[in-house]
Amino acid sequence: KAGVTQTPRYLIKTRGQQVTLSCSPISGHRSVSWYQQTPGQGLQFLFEYFSETQRNKGNFPGRFSGRQFSNSRSEMNVSTLELGDSALYLCASSLQGQAYEQYFGPGTRLTVT
Amino acid sequence: GENVEQHPSTLSVQEGDSAVIKCTYSDSASNYFPWYKQELGKRPQLIIDIRSNVGEKKDQRIAVTLNKTAKHFSLHITETQPEDSAVYFCAASKANAGNMLTFGGGTRLMVKP
């Protein structure tokens, strides 16, 4: 099976702009989680979607949002970008919905200038 | 919420030696503990995991132990090889929290040939 894919891989945006990142899970996986990775804060949970429903949300401002489509593909959106949003955004997919193996995509490297 | 602490932050060993990375968690409801390996510029890769009903799990040169009473778990790598050099992350997930993972801060393992 193909692994988790994310597009785009690299992105440069300006402060104040908005951005949409996309994640395609492993075929058959219904759970998609998003994480932000930075050198200072490490890996932090953003949110999780399962069967098109957001089940959990991390401690991030409302500028961070997401959704999941009926084919389990997920998107996350960040509005009004700030310099501190520069990070590697990783998504992970899981076959089951509860404390199960998660497999990460390659990430989208977002740089905000 | 859950808090996961990981030690040491850096670890340097000679090829062939063993390496041990330790993590502690705060929420006694946590029941799933995966370990990820992240090589430079690559995605985190699931290398082993353990559930709260098991005390130890092995996979070739890698083993994980869990002490629920003390709320800590450890990764053991034997006969280390240069290709084991990477950043290792521990994580915890609890029941009724979907697939939300709380990560430790990471350990940079360097295996010197």
Side-chain angles (χ1 to χ4, degrees), chain A residues 4 31 35 37 45 48 55-56 94 96-102 104-106, chain B residues 31-32 36 38 43-44 46 49 51 89 93 95-101 103:
Chain A
V4 179
S31 167
Y35 296 86
Q37 186 173 29
F45 173 80
E48 181 202 2
R55 294 202 297 182
N56 294 289
S94 182
Q96 296 191 18
Q98 198 78 245
Y100 204 72
E101 290 90 342
Q102 290 186 64
F104 281 88
Chain B
N31 63 350
Y32 174 65
Y36 286 86
Q38 187 175 29
R43 71 187 75 189
L46 178 66
D49 57 12
R51 298 186 183 276
F89 292 96
S93 179
N96 301 321
N99 284 309
M100 180 173 69
L101 291 175
F103 282 89

PDB file of all heavy atoms in Angstrom, chain A residues 4 31 35 37 45 48 55-56 94 96-102 104-106, chain B residues 31-32 36 38 43-44 46 49 51 89 93 95-101 103:
ATOM      1  N   VAL A   4       1.402   7.437   3.626  1.00  0.00           N
ATOM      2  CA  VAL A   4       0.732   8.716   3.791  1.00  0.00           C
ATOM      3  C   VAL A   4       1.435   9.760   2.919  1.00  0.00           C
ATOM      4  O   VAL A   4       2.672   9.823   2.911  1.00  0.00           O
ATOM      5  CB  VAL A   4       0.767   9.164   5.266  1.00  0.00           C
ATOM      6  CG1 VAL A   4       0.081  10.513   5.426  1.00  0.00           C
ATOM      7  CG2 VAL A   4       0.139   8.106   6.165  1.00  0.00           C
ATOM      8  N   SER A  31      -8.664   7.446  10.351  1.00  0.00           N
ATOM      9  CA  SER A  31      -8.234   8.451  11.315  1.00  0.00           C
ATOM     10  C   SER A  31      -7.052   9.228  10.750  1.00  0.00           C
ATOM     11  O   SER A  31      -6.084   8.629  10.275  1.00  0.00           O
ATOM     12  CB  SER A  31      -7.831   7.768  12.627  1.00  0.00           C
ATOM     13  OG  SER A  31      -7.131   8.667  13.470  1.00  0.00           O
ATOM     14  N   TYR A  35       0.065  17.198  13.347  1.00  0.00           N
ATOM     15  CA  TYR A  35       1.021  17.611  14.362  1.00  0.00           C
ATOM     16  C   TYR A  35       1.889  18.733  13.796  1.00  0.00           C
ATOM     17  O   TYR A  35       2.180  18.778  12.601  1.00  0.00           O
ATOM     18  CB  TYR A  35       1.926  16.446  14.776  1.00  0.00           C
ATOM     19  CG  TYR A  35       1.185  15.315  15.448  1.00  0.00           C
ATOM     20  CD1 TYR A  35       0.580  14.309  14.705  1.00  0.00           C
ATOM     21  CD2 TYR A  35       1.102  15.252  16.837  1.00  0.00           C
ATOM     22  CE1 TYR A  35      -0.110  13.278  15.317  1.00  0.00           C
ATOM     23  CE2 TYR A  35       0.416  14.217  17.465  1.00  0.00           C
ATOM     24  CZ  TYR A  35      -0.187  13.240  16.702  1.00  0.00           C
ATOM     25  OH  TYR A  35      -0.866  12.221  17.316  1.00  0.00           O
ATOM     26  N   GLN A  37       5.665  20.356  14.189  1.00  0.00           N
ATOM     27  CA  GLN A  37       6.991  20.080  14.724  1.00  0.00           C
ATOM     28  C   GLN A  37       7.887  21.290  14.569  1.00  0.00           C
ATOM     29  O   GLN A  37       8.092  21.778  13.452  1.00  0.00           O
ATOM     30  CB  GLN A  37       7.635  18.863  14.028  1.00  0.00           C
ATOM     31  CG  GLN A  37       8.960  18.457  14.657  1.00  0.00           C
ATOM     32  CD  GLN A  37       9.526  17.167  14.105  1.00  0.00           C
ATOM     33  OE1 GLN A  37       9.298  16.793  12.954  1.00  0.00           O
ATOM     34  NE2 GLN A  37      10.254  16.437  14.940  1.00  0.00           N
ATOM     35  N   PHE A  45       0.419  18.064  19.134  1.00  0.00           N
ATOM     36  CA  PHE A  45      -0.831  17.629  18.516  1.00  0.00           C
ATOM     37  C   PHE A  45      -1.701  18.828  18.171  1.00  0.00           C
ATOM     38  O   PHE A  45      -1.910  19.717  19.005  1.00  0.00           O
ATOM     39  CB  PHE A  45      -1.551  16.699  19.498  1.00  0.00           C
ATOM     40  CG  PHE A  45      -2.928  16.303  19.066  1.00  0.00           C
ATOM     41  CD1 PHE A  45      -3.115  15.299  18.127  1.00  0.00           C
ATOM     42  CD2 PHE A  45      -4.042  16.931  19.617  1.00  0.00           C
ATOM     43  CE1 PHE A  45      -4.391  14.931  17.742  1.00  0.00           C
ATOM     44  CE2 PHE A  45      -5.314  16.562  19.235  1.00  0.00           C
ATOM     45  CZ  PHE A  45      -5.492  15.564  18.298  1.00  0.00           C
ATOM     46  N   GLU A  48      -7.395  15.811  15.445  1.00  0.00           N
ATOM     47  CA  GLU A  48      -7.608  14.493  14.855  1.00  0.00           C
ATOM     48  C   GLU A  48      -8.999  14.425  14.254  1.00  0.00           C
ATOM     49  O   GLU A  48      -9.974  14.930  14.843  1.00  0.00           O
ATOM     50  CB  GLU A  48      -7.475  13.385  15.900  1.00  0.00           C
ATOM     51  CG  GLU A  48      -7.662  11.992  15.288  1.00  0.00           C
ATOM     52  CD  GLU A  48      -8.061  10.922  16.283  1.00  0.00           C
ATOM     53  OE1 GLU A  48      -8.241  11.238  17.464  1.00  0.00           O
ATOM     54  OE2 GLU A  48      -8.196   9.760  15.856  1.00  0.00           O
ATOM     55  N   ARG A  55     -12.347  14.857  16.471  1.00  0.00           N
ATOM     56  CA  ARG A  55     -12.551  14.206  17.765  1.00  0.00           C
ATOM     57  C   ARG A  55     -11.759  14.882  18.880  1.00  0.00           C
ATOM     58  O   ARG A  55     -12.167  14.852  20.032  1.00  0.00           O
ATOM     59  CB  ARG A  55     -12.156  12.744  17.688  1.00  0.00           C
ATOM     60  CG  ARG A  55     -13.022  11.935  16.782  1.00  0.00           C
ATOM     61  CD  ARG A  55     -12.947  10.477  17.135  1.00  0.00           C
ATOM     62  NE  ARG A  55     -11.609   9.953  16.955  1.00  0.00           N
ATOM     63  CZ  ARG A  55     -11.282   8.692  17.165  1.00  0.00           C
ATOM     64  NH1 ARG A  55     -12.186   7.843  17.578  1.00  0.00           N
ATOM     65  NH2 ARG A  55     -10.042   8.283  16.973  1.00  0.00           N
ATOM     66  N   ASN A  56     -10.609  15.373  18.542  1.00  0.00           N
ATOM     67  CA  ASN A  56      -9.770  15.998  19.554  1.00  0.00           C
ATOM     68  C   ASN A  56      -9.095  17.212  18.954  1.00  0.00           C
ATOM     69  O   ASN A  56      -8.808  17.243  17.753  1.00  0.00           O
ATOM     70  CB  ASN A  56      -8.684  15.021  20.048  1.00  0.00           C
ATOM     71  CG  ASN A  56      -9.263  13.848  20.793  1.00  0.00           C
ATOM     72  OD1 ASN A  56      -9.743  13.962  21.898  1.00  0.00           O
ATOM     73  ND2 ASN A  56      -9.209  12.684  20.159  1.00  0.00           N
ATOM     74  N   SER A  94      -4.224   6.370  10.809  1.00  0.00           N
ATOM     75  CA  SER A  94      -4.356   5.157  11.607  1.00  0.00           C
ATOM     76  C   SER A  94      -5.554   4.370  11.124  1.00  0.00           C
ATOM     77  O   SER A  94      -6.573   4.932  10.724  1.00  0.00           O
ATOM     78  CB  SER A  94      -4.511   5.526  13.082  1.00  0.00           C
ATOM     79  OG  SER A  94      -4.606   4.375  13.881  1.00  0.00           O
ATOM     80  N   GLN A  96      -7.369   2.259  12.970  1.00  0.00           N
ATOM     81  CA  GLN A  96      -8.427   2.237  13.968  1.00  0.00           C
ATOM     82  C   GLN A  96      -8.492   3.562  14.716  1.00  0.00           C
ATOM     83  O   GLN A  96      -7.589   4.392  14.647  1.00  0.00           O
ATOM     84  CB  GLN A  96      -8.209   1.071  14.936  1.00  0.00           C
ATOM     85  CG  GLN A  96      -8.298  -0.280  14.245  1.00  0.00           C
ATOM     86  CD  GLN A  96      -8.337  -1.433  15.222  1.00  0.00           C
ATOM     87  OE1 GLN A  96      -8.631  -1.244  16.395  1.00  0.00           O
ATOM     88  NE2 GLN A  96      -8.053  -2.626  14.745  1.00  0.00           N
ATOM     89  N   GLY A  97      -9.573   3.715  15.458  1.00  0.00           N
ATOM     90  CA  GLY A  97      -9.847   5.022  16.029  1.00  0.00           C
ATOM     91  C   GLY A  97      -9.403   5.255  17.450  1.00  0.00           C
ATOM     92  O   GLY A  97      -9.675   6.304  18.020  1.00  0.00           O
ATOM     93  N   GLN A  98      -8.702   4.307  18.053  1.00  0.00           N
ATOM     94  CA  GLN A  98      -8.401   4.463  19.469  1.00  0.00           C
ATOM     95  C   GLN A  98      -7.031   3.913  19.792  1.00  0.00           C
ATOM     96  O   GLN A  98      -6.798   2.719  19.748  1.00  0.00           O
ATOM     97  CB  GLN A  98      -9.450   3.699  20.280  1.00  0.00           C
ATOM     98  CG  GLN A  98      -9.537   4.084  21.728  1.00  0.00           C
ATOM     99  CD  GLN A  98     -10.280   5.386  21.953  1.00  0.00           C
ATOM    100  OE1 GLN A  98      -9.712   6.366  22.407  1.00  0.00           O
ATOM    101  NE2 GLN A  98     -11.548   5.407  21.614  1.00  0.00           N
ATOM    102  N   ALA A  99      -6.100   4.809  20.150  1.00  0.00           N
ATOM    103  CA  ALA A  99      -4.786   4.388  20.634  1.00  0.00           C
ATOM    104  C   ALA A  99      -4.204   3.264  19.773  1.00  0.00           C
ATOM    105  O   ALA A  99      -3.901   2.192  20.265  1.00  0.00           O
ATOM    106  CB  ALA A  99      -4.878   3.944  22.085  1.00  0.00           C
ATOM    107  N   TYR A 100      -4.024   3.581  18.500  1.00  0.00           N
ATOM    108  CA  TYR A 100      -3.565   2.565  17.559  1.00  0.00           C
ATOM    109  C   TYR A 100      -2.357   3.083  16.794  1.00  0.00           C
ATOM    110  O   TYR A 100      -2.064   4.273  16.815  1.00  0.00           O
ATOM    111  CB  TYR A 100      -4.710   2.199  16.612  1.00  0.00           C
ATOM    112  CG  TYR A 100      -4.575   0.822  16.006  1.00  0.00           C
ATOM    113  CD1 TYR A 100      -4.779  -0.318  16.782  1.00  0.00           C
ATOM    114  CD2 TYR A 100      -4.262   0.654  14.658  1.00  0.00           C
ATOM    115  CE1 TYR A 100      -4.669  -1.580  16.235  1.00  0.00           C
ATOM    116  CE2 TYR A 100      -4.138  -0.602  14.113  1.00  0.00           C
ATOM    117  CZ  TYR A 100      -4.345  -1.717  14.906  1.00  0.00           C
ATOM    118  OH  TYR A 100      -4.230  -2.972  14.356  1.00  0.00           O
ATOM    119  N   GLU A 101      -1.688   2.180  16.082  1.00  0.00           N
ATOM    120  CA  GLU A 101      -0.488   2.573  15.329  1.00  0.00           C
ATOM    121  C   GLU A 101      -0.800   3.718  14.369  1.00  0.00           C
ATOM    122  O   GLU A 101      -1.779   3.669  13.634  1.00  0.00           O
ATOM    123  CB  GLU A 101       0.059   1.398  14.524  1.00  0.00           C
ATOM    124  CG  GLU A 101       0.672   0.291  15.345  1.00  0.00           C
ATOM    125  CD  GLU A 101      -0.314  -0.788  15.759  1.00  0.00           C
ATOM    126  OE1 GLU A 101      -1.540  -0.529  15.707  1.00  0.00           O
ATOM    127  OE2 GLU A 101       0.126  -1.878  16.118  1.00  0.00           O
ATOM    128  N   GLN A 102       0.054   4.716  14.393  1.00  0.00           N
ATOM    129  CA  GLN A 102      -0.077   5.840  13.476  1.00  0.00           C
ATOM    130  C   GLN A 102       1.154   5.925  12.586  1.00  0.00           C
ATOM    131  O   GLN A 102       2.269   5.741  13.056  1.00  0.00           O
ATOM    132  CB  GLN A 102      -0.220   7.155  14.249  1.00  0.00           C
ATOM    133  CG  GLN A 102      -1.534   7.293  14.966  1.00  0.00           C
ATOM    134  CD  GLN A 102      -1.692   8.651  15.599  1.00  0.00           C
ATOM    135  OE1 GLN A 102      -1.739   9.680  14.923  1.00  0.00           O
ATOM    136  NE2 GLN A 102      -1.768   8.665  16.920  1.00  0.00           N
ATOM    137  N   PHE A 104       3.195   8.294   9.809  1.00  0.00           N
ATOM    138  CA  PHE A 104       3.338   9.694   9.426  1.00  0.00           C
ATOM    139  C   PHE A 104       3.615   9.884   7.943  1.00  0.00           C
ATOM    140  O   PHE A 104       4.240   9.036   7.296  1.00  0.00           O
ATOM    141  CB  PHE A 104       4.481  10.342  10.210  1.00  0.00           C
ATOM    142  CG  PHE A 104       4.104  10.719  11.608  1.00  0.00           C
ATOM    143  CD1 PHE A 104       4.223   9.814  12.637  1.00  0.00           C
ATOM    144  CD2 PHE A 104       3.627  11.998  11.886  1.00  0.00           C
ATOM    145  CE1 PHE A 104       3.865  10.160  13.935  1.00  0.00           C
ATOM    146  CE2 PHE A 104       3.272  12.356  13.179  1.00  0.00           C
ATOM    147  CZ  PHE A 104       3.397  11.438  14.203  1.00  0.00           C
ATOM    148  N   GLY A 105       3.161  11.023   7.435  1.00  0.00           N
ATOM    149  CA  GLY A 105       3.534  11.468   6.110  1.00  0.00           C
ATOM    150  C   GLY A 105       4.866  12.201   6.173  1.00  0.00           C
ATOM    151  O   GLY A 105       5.430  12.392   7.260  1.00  0.00           O
ATOM    152  N   PRO A 106       5.375  12.650   5.014  1.00  0.00           N
ATOM    153  CA  PRO A 106       6.682  13.314   4.970  1.00  0.00           C
ATOM    154  C   PRO A 106       6.654  14.743   5.509  1.00  0.00           C
ATOM    155  O   PRO A 106       7.702  15.322   5.782  1.00  0.00           O
ATOM    156  CB  PRO A 106       7.022  13.306   3.487  1.00  0.00           C
ATOM    157  CG  PRO A 106       5.699  13.282   2.811  1.00  0.00           C
ATOM    158  CD  PRO A 106       4.793  12.479   3.685  1.00  0.00           C
TER     159      PRO A 106
ATOM    160  N   ASN B  31      -2.605   4.437  27.994  1.00  0.00           N
ATOM    161  CA  ASN B  31      -2.549   2.990  27.835  1.00  0.00           C
ATOM    162  C   ASN B  31      -1.847   2.519  26.572  1.00  0.00           C
ATOM    163  O   ASN B  31      -1.791   1.321  26.284  1.00  0.00           O
ATOM    164  CB  ASN B  31      -3.973   2.411  27.867  1.00  0.00           C
ATOM    165  CG  ASN B  31      -4.815   2.909  26.709  1.00  0.00           C
ATOM    166  OD1 ASN B  31      -4.420   3.810  25.985  1.00  0.00           O
ATOM    167  ND2 ASN B  31      -5.985   2.317  26.530  1.00  0.00           N
ATOM    168  N   TYR B  32      -1.298   3.456  25.801  1.00  0.00           N
ATOM    169  CA  TYR B  32      -0.606   3.072  24.571  1.00  0.00           C
ATOM    170  C   TYR B  32       0.625   3.942  24.431  1.00  0.00           C
ATOM    171  O   TYR B  32       0.539   5.180  24.534  1.00  0.00           O
ATOM    172  CB  TYR B  32      -1.549   3.255  23.371  1.00  0.00           C
ATOM    173  CG  TYR B  32      -0.886   3.025  22.033  1.00  0.00           C
ATOM    174  CD1 TYR B  32      -0.406   1.762  21.679  1.00  0.00           C
ATOM    175  CD2 TYR B  32      -0.744   4.065  21.123  1.00  0.00           C
ATOM    176  CE1 TYR B  32       0.204   1.559  20.465  1.00  0.00           C
ATOM    177  CE2 TYR B  32      -0.129   3.862  19.905  1.00  0.00           C
ATOM    178  CZ  TYR B  32       0.336   2.613  19.577  1.00  0.00           C
ATOM    179  OH  TYR B  32       0.952   2.410  18.362  1.00  0.00           O
ATOM    180  N   TYR B  36       9.018   6.435  18.155  1.00  0.00           N
ATOM    181  CA  TYR B  36       9.276   6.817  16.773  1.00  0.00           C
ATOM    182  C   TYR B  36      10.746   7.175  16.594  1.00  0.00           C
ATOM    183  O   TYR B  36      11.378   7.746  17.494  1.00  0.00           O
ATOM    184  CB  TYR B  36       8.408   8.018  16.366  1.00  0.00           C
ATOM    185  CG  TYR B  36       6.960   7.673  16.155  1.00  0.00           C
ATOM    186  CD1 TYR B  36       6.057   7.665  17.213  1.00  0.00           C
ATOM    187  CD2 TYR B  36       6.492   7.345  14.881  1.00  0.00           C
ATOM    188  CE1 TYR B  36       4.725   7.349  17.019  1.00  0.00           C
ATOM    189  CE2 TYR B  36       5.160   7.024  14.670  1.00  0.00           C
ATOM    190  CZ  TYR B  36       4.287   7.031  15.745  1.00  0.00           C
ATOM    191  OH  TYR B  36       2.963   6.702  15.543  1.00  0.00           O
ATOM    192  N   GLN B  38      13.239   9.312  14.016  1.00  0.00           N
ATOM    193  CA  GLN B  38      13.201  10.307  12.951  1.00  0.00           C
ATOM    194  C   GLN B  38      14.631  10.630  12.513  1.00  0.00           C
ATOM    195  O   GLN B  38      15.411  11.226  13.262  1.00  0.00           O
ATOM    196  CB  GLN B  38      12.480  11.581  13.398  1.00  0.00           C
ATOM    197  CG  GLN B  38      12.265  12.566  12.258  1.00  0.00           C
ATOM    198  CD  GLN B  38      11.441  13.781  12.684  1.00  0.00           C
ATOM    199  OE1 GLN B  38      11.462  14.198  13.831  1.00  0.00           O
ATOM    200  NE2 GLN B  38      10.695  14.359  11.734  1.00  0.00           N
ATOM    201  N   ARG B  43      10.478  11.590   7.803  1.00  0.00           N
ATOM    202  CA  ARG B  43       9.286  11.514   8.642  1.00  0.00           C
ATOM    203  C   ARG B  43       9.549  10.649   9.873  1.00  0.00           C
ATOM    204  O   ARG B  43      10.384   9.750   9.833  1.00  0.00           O
ATOM    205  CB  ARG B  43       8.134  10.907   7.835  1.00  0.00           C
ATOM    206  CG  ARG B  43       8.272   9.425   7.529  1.00  0.00           C
ATOM    207  CD  ARG B  43       7.201   8.920   6.584  1.00  0.00           C
ATOM    208  NE  ARG B  43       7.437   9.329   5.209  1.00  0.00           N
ATOM    209  CZ  ARG B  43       6.556   9.160   4.219  1.00  0.00           C
ATOM    210  NH1 ARG B  43       5.390   8.613   4.468  1.00  0.00           N
ATOM    211  NH2 ARG B  43       6.841   9.537   2.991  1.00  0.00           N
ATOM    212  N   PRO B  44       8.829  10.866  10.976  1.00  0.00           N
ATOM    213  CA  PRO B  44       8.929   9.937  12.120  1.00  0.00           C
ATOM    214  C   PRO B  44       8.439   8.559  11.691  1.00  0.00           C
ATOM    215  O   PRO B  44       7.407   8.424  11.020  1.00  0.00           O
ATOM    216  CB  PRO B  44       7.989  10.570  13.156  1.00  0.00           C
ATOM    217  CG  PRO B  44       7.874  12.003  12.763  1.00  0.00           C
ATOM    218  CD  PRO B  44       7.953  12.010  11.272  1.00  0.00           C
ATOM    219  N   LEU B  46       7.437   4.732  13.038  1.00  0.00           N
ATOM    220  CA  LEU B  46       7.078   3.889  14.182  1.00  0.00           C
ATOM    221  C   LEU B  46       7.998   2.675  14.236  1.00  0.00           C
ATOM    222  O   LEU B  46       8.100   1.933  13.263  1.00  0.00           O
ATOM    223  CB  LEU B  46       5.622   3.445  14.046  1.00  0.00           C
ATOM    224  CG  LEU B  46       5.079   2.517  15.130  1.00  0.00           C
ATOM    225  CD1 LEU B  46       5.024   3.239  16.477  1.00  0.00           C
ATOM    226  CD2 LEU B  46       3.698   1.988  14.754  1.00  0.00           C
ATOM    227  N   ASP B  49       5.943  -0.378  19.776  1.00  0.00           N
ATOM    228  CA  ASP B  49       4.954   0.196  20.686  1.00  0.00           C
ATOM    229  C   ASP B  49       4.596  -0.830  21.745  1.00  0.00           C
ATOM    230  O   ASP B  49       4.895  -2.025  21.618  1.00  0.00           O
ATOM    231  CB  ASP B  49       3.709   0.681  19.933  1.00  0.00           C
ATOM    232  CG  ASP B  49       3.040  -0.419  19.109  1.00  0.00           C
ATOM    233  OD1 ASP B  49       3.379  -1.626  19.267  1.00  0.00           O
ATOM    234  OD2 ASP B  49       2.163  -0.079  18.292  1.00  0.00           O
ATOM    235  N   ARG B  51       1.470  -1.676  24.935  1.00  0.00           N
ATOM    236  CA  ARG B  51       0.196  -1.321  25.570  1.00  0.00           C
ATOM    237  C   ARG B  51       0.277  -1.600  27.057  1.00  0.00           C
ATOM    238  O   ARG B  51       1.125  -2.365  27.515  1.00  0.00           O
ATOM    239  CB  ARG B  51      -0.951  -2.097  24.922  1.00  0.00           C
ATOM    240  CG  ARG B  51      -1.086  -1.740  23.456  1.00  0.00           C
ATOM    241  CD  ARG B  51      -2.278  -2.355  22.769  1.00  0.00           C
ATOM    242  NE  ARG B  51      -2.245  -1.984  21.355  1.00  0.00           N
ATOM    243  CZ  ARG B  51      -2.717  -0.833  20.888  1.00  0.00           C
ATOM    244  NH1 ARG B  51      -3.261   0.039  21.722  1.00  0.00           N
ATOM    245  NH2 ARG B  51      -2.644  -0.558  19.600  1.00  0.00           N
ATOM    246  N   PHE B  89      11.654   9.571  19.591  1.00  0.00           N
ATOM    247  CA  PHE B  89      10.573  10.189  20.356  1.00  0.00           C
ATOM    248  C   PHE B  89       9.721   9.114  21.018  1.00  0.00           C
ATOM    249  O   PHE B  89       9.322   8.145  20.362  1.00  0.00           O
ATOM    250  CB  PHE B  89       9.660  11.017  19.450  1.00  0.00           C
ATOM    251  CG  PHE B  89      10.301  12.244  18.869  1.00  0.00           C
ATOM    252  CD1 PHE B  89      10.855  12.204  17.594  1.00  0.00           C
ATOM    253  CD2 PHE B  89      10.320  13.427  19.578  1.00  0.00           C
ATOM    254  CE1 PHE B  89      11.432  13.341  17.041  1.00  0.00           C
ATOM    255  CE2 PHE B  89      10.896  14.570  19.031  1.00  0.00           C
ATOM    256  CZ  PHE B  89      11.455  14.516  17.764  1.00  0.00           C
ATOM    257  N   SER B  93      -0.646   7.794  24.687  1.00  0.00           N
ATOM    258  CA  SER B  93      -2.025   8.032  24.267  1.00  0.00           C
ATOM    259  C   SER B  93      -2.929   7.394  25.306  1.00  0.00           C
ATOM    260  O   SER B  93      -2.615   6.328  25.821  1.00  0.00           O
ATOM    261  CB  SER B  93      -2.265   7.413  22.890  1.00  0.00           C
ATOM    262  OG  SER B  93      -3.594   7.604  22.479  1.00  0.00           O
ATOM    263  N   ALA B  95      -6.874   6.201  26.827  1.00  0.00           N
ATOM    264  CA  ALA B  95      -8.185   5.701  26.451  1.00  0.00           C
ATOM    265  C   ALA B  95      -9.155   6.863  26.318  1.00  0.00           C
ATOM    266  O   ALA B  95      -9.060   7.855  27.031  1.00  0.00           O
ATOM    267  CB  ALA B  95      -8.673   4.715  27.517  1.00  0.00           C
ATOM    268  N   ASN B  96     -10.054   6.761  25.386  1.00  0.00           N
ATOM    269  CA  ASN B  96     -11.078   7.771  25.137  1.00  0.00           C
ATOM    270  C   ASN B  96     -10.515   9.095  24.638  1.00  0.00           C
ATOM    271  O   ASN B  96     -11.168  10.128  24.739  1.00  0.00           O
ATOM    272  CB  ASN B  96     -11.908   8.026  26.403  1.00  0.00           C
ATOM    273  CG  ASN B  96     -12.584   6.767  26.900  1.00  0.00           C
ATOM    274  OD1 ASN B  96     -13.069   5.968  26.104  1.00  0.00           O
ATOM    275  ND2 ASN B  96     -12.581   6.584  28.205  1.00  0.00           N
ATOM    276  N   ALA B  97      -9.300   9.045  24.120  1.00  0.00           N
ATOM    277  CA  ALA B  97      -8.719  10.252  23.525  1.00  0.00           C
ATOM    278  C   ALA B  97      -8.365  10.005  22.075  1.00  0.00           C
ATOM    279  O   ALA B  97      -7.465  10.658  21.527  1.00  0.00           O
ATOM    280  CB  ALA B  97      -7.492  10.699  24.308  1.00  0.00           C
ATOM    281  N   GLY B  98      -9.050   9.073  21.458  1.00  0.00           N
ATOM    282  CA  GLY B  98      -8.791   8.789  20.057  1.00  0.00           C
ATOM    283  C   GLY B  98      -7.350   8.400  19.844  1.00  0.00           C
ATOM    284  O   GLY B  98      -6.786   7.611  20.599  1.00  0.00           O
ATOM    285  N   ASN B  99      -6.748   8.965  18.806  1.00  0.00           N
ATOM    286  CA  ASN B  99      -5.353   8.679  18.503  1.00  0.00           C
ATOM    287  C   ASN B  99      -4.439   9.841  18.868  1.00  0.00           C
ATOM    288  O   ASN B  99      -3.319   9.932  18.379  1.00  0.00           O
ATOM    289  CB  ASN B  99      -5.198   8.343  17.017  1.00  0.00           C
ATOM    290  CG  ASN B  99      -5.689   6.947  16.695  1.00  0.00           C
ATOM    291  OD1 ASN B  99      -5.306   5.990  17.352  1.00  0.00           O
ATOM    292  ND2 ASN B  99      -6.541   6.823  15.697  1.00  0.00           N
ATOM    293  N   MET B 100      -4.897  10.712  19.734  1.00  0.00           N
ATOM    294  CA  MET B 100      -4.084  11.864  20.120  1.00  0.00           C
ATOM    295  C   MET B 100      -2.840  11.393  20.871  1.00  0.00           C
ATOM    296  O   MET B 100      -2.933  10.700  21.882  1.00  0.00           O
ATOM    297  CB  MET B 100      -4.894  12.803  21.006  1.00  0.00           C
ATOM    298  CG  MET B 100      -4.117  14.024  21.459  1.00  0.00           C
ATOM    299  SD  MET B 100      -5.143  15.212  22.339  1.00  0.00           S
ATOM    300  CE  MET B 100      -5.484  14.329  23.837  1.00  0.00           C
ATOM    301  N   LEU B 101      -1.680  11.763  20.359  1.00  0.00           N
ATOM    302  CA  LEU B 101      -0.411  11.410  20.995  1.00  0.00           C
ATOM    303  C   LEU B 101       0.206  12.631  21.651  1.00  0.00           C
ATOM    304  O   LEU B 101       0.239  13.709  21.068  1.00  0.00           O
ATOM    305  CB  LEU B 101       0.576  10.853  19.967  1.00  0.00           C
ATOM    306  CG  LEU B 101       0.271   9.489  19.361  1.00  0.00           C
ATOM    307  CD1 LEU B 101       1.285   9.161  18.268  1.00  0.00           C
ATOM    308  CD2 LEU B 101       0.299   8.404  20.429  1.00  0.00           C
ATOM    309  N   PHE B 103       3.852  13.750  22.882  1.00  0.00           N
ATOM    310  CA  PHE B 103       5.223  13.323  22.653  1.00  0.00           C
ATOM    311  C   PHE B 103       6.177  13.832  23.720  1.00  0.00           C
ATOM    312  O   PHE B 103       5.982  14.917  24.300  1.00  0.00           O
ATOM    313  CB  PHE B 103       5.713  13.844  21.290  1.00  0.00           C
ATOM    314  CG  PHE B 103       5.209  13.049  20.120  1.00  0.00           C
ATOM    315  CD1 PHE B 103       4.003  13.369  19.517  1.00  0.00           C
ATOM    316  CD2 PHE B 103       5.940  11.982  19.626  1.00  0.00           C
ATOM    317  CE1 PHE B 103       3.526  12.632  18.435  1.00  0.00           C
ATOM    318  CE2 PHE B 103       5.478  11.240  18.543  1.00  0.00           C
ATOM    319  CZ  PHE B 103       4.269  11.573  17.956  1.00  0.00           C
TER     320      PHE B 103
END
